Amino acid sequence: MLENKPRDVQILPIGTNTTIVRSRSWTRLRFEIEYALAKGTTANSYLIQADKTAIIDPPGETFTEIYLAALQQRLDLQQLDYIILGHVNPNRAATLKTLLEIAPQITFVCSNPGAMNLRTALENPDIAILVMRGEETLDLGQGHHLQFIPTPNPRYADQLCTYDPQTEILFSDKLFGAHICGDQVFDEGWEVFNEDRRYYFDCLMAPHARQVETALEKLADLPVRMYATGHGPIVRYGLIDLTKAYREWSQQQTTADTTVALIYASAYGNTATLAQAIARGITKAGVSVESINCEFTDPEEIRAAVEKSAGFVIGSPTLGGHAPTPVQTALGIVLSTATNNKLAGVFGSFGWSGEAVDLIEGKLKDAGYRFGFDTIRVKFKPNDVTLQTCEEAGTDFAQALKKAKKKVVAKQPATTVEQAVGRIIGSLCVVTATQGDVKSGMLASWVTQASFNPPGLTIAVAKDRAMESLSHTGNQFVVNILAEGKELRKQFMKTFTPGQDRFAGLAMEEASNGGIILTDALAYLECSVQSRMEAGDHWLVYATVDSGKVLNQDGVTAVHHRKSANYY
């Protein structure tokens, strides 16, 4: 079983004088929405050994010991000249401190915001740092004349890509990655990684698509042979297609009709984690996000984003009983800029008290703003259930904006095509799934048998459904086929608040795959997702049936007749 495999380090040459050092975690690394597919991940570090030696992106503290042990078998750290950092994460501090103790001669290379973060993370104002603003280069000898391209975004304001013209490798940091662990270093048969790469983009990149487009423009003229990513397989065989996909996915966000300004600051990363989950919920519902880290954003940028948005969400940590100054400044801009018919939302994390969240909520309520979800308060680090609540809150917020927009346009009667399509009927089912402490269920009628051998079916899952995040390749679920009668159906036709238990009061038992069997259903099928395909505003999920049982031999399958069919 992969989940029982210990963490390890995989090392392989990938170009002239260039080696990848992959720290592998076969299980989920952290409670962040980007890791929710639970396929493990790799923290990719790179070693260039020319006349001078450089390490690019050492991993975080969970890998410090095994990474340094593997590195010291191949390199005398006393000969190490540079450590190049694509971004500075406090999680890396332990590894960097240990490297600095062993090799005090090293010089760090990073962006200007990265230098400020690094001095704070290492608690050392005197470390040697080369700051790269975009025009400087670094010559390691033997043709490795490194170029540096700042590609900042709100989550990683210090992000820096490194390009080596000798090998034509772009060390792309967070860009073009995927959270998946395996033995494959390069992306041969790259189509199998499409789903993971898309999910990674949707979680990490979609909330700042405008900055992604800027980064792509900066990188466009470089003759790149491969993307040496921070996570997952190196992008070589699918490079052209993935670059094109990044452009298309970014454009979908930047040209969307409706936008939400997501404004936050984060002291220890927890508020940023909540922001990422909320943004994921908003974007999956077809509304774009303008993500703004107010610690690094000019007030005029904040004002412009709020003016063009249909709604805004503000997040803050609590420091010393107060919101940080950048959040207070941003709140002042919002109150003076946003008309109170814009939808609002508030969230935040705290250690001992949450005054900042209360302050923001109170000011917005006093100003007459409507809230798109109940204020989210999280003590210390968020867990899976918290992240599910945040994602569902983001989706509710987006759906409220879309609903308000629809009201402006008078509802038109169904067209003849819609009436004809509406005559396609399907059996009514409740699809249930669990992953760790997260559980979800939805009413579905677009369920169809798709294969005899192996027995399989397809389900169309709307992109903005809470169940969507549990319907990826490798997930398992239960299809509960309903009998005629409305009791079970009524339960799942309700509107649930974010994080609300959908199964309260129902008779149920646990399936062998961890899903939920509704014992009052007509029958159930336990299924495993094999693949999925994007289909307009839905995902078409193909799953094989592992087992099943009829629970009510006398019942009749419930059928859904759609309103658009205009039955009389």
Side-chain angles (χ1 to χ4, degrees), residues 19 47 56 62 75 100-101 165 268 435 444 450 459 498 523 526:
T19 304
L47 177 63
I56 300 174
T62 53
L75 173 67
L100 204 51
E101 288 168 7
Y268 304 105
Q435 183 172 291
I459 301 179
E526 296 186 27

Side-chain angles (χ1 to χ4, degrees), residues 5 36 43 52 100-101 197 538 568:
K5 290 185 72 168
K52 292 187 178 295
L100 204 51
E101 288 168 7
R197 285 171 170 168
H538 283 65
Y568 297 104

Side-chain angles (χ1 to χ4, degrees), residues 189-210:
W190 54 269
E191 292 91 346
V192 301
F193 301 118
N194 283 350
E195 184 179 338
D196 299 286
R197 285 171 170 168
R198 174 64 184 272
Y199 183 80
Y200 179 94
F201 177 93
D202 287 344
C203 290
L204 271 180
M205 302 296 157
H208 29 260
R210 186 166 55 84

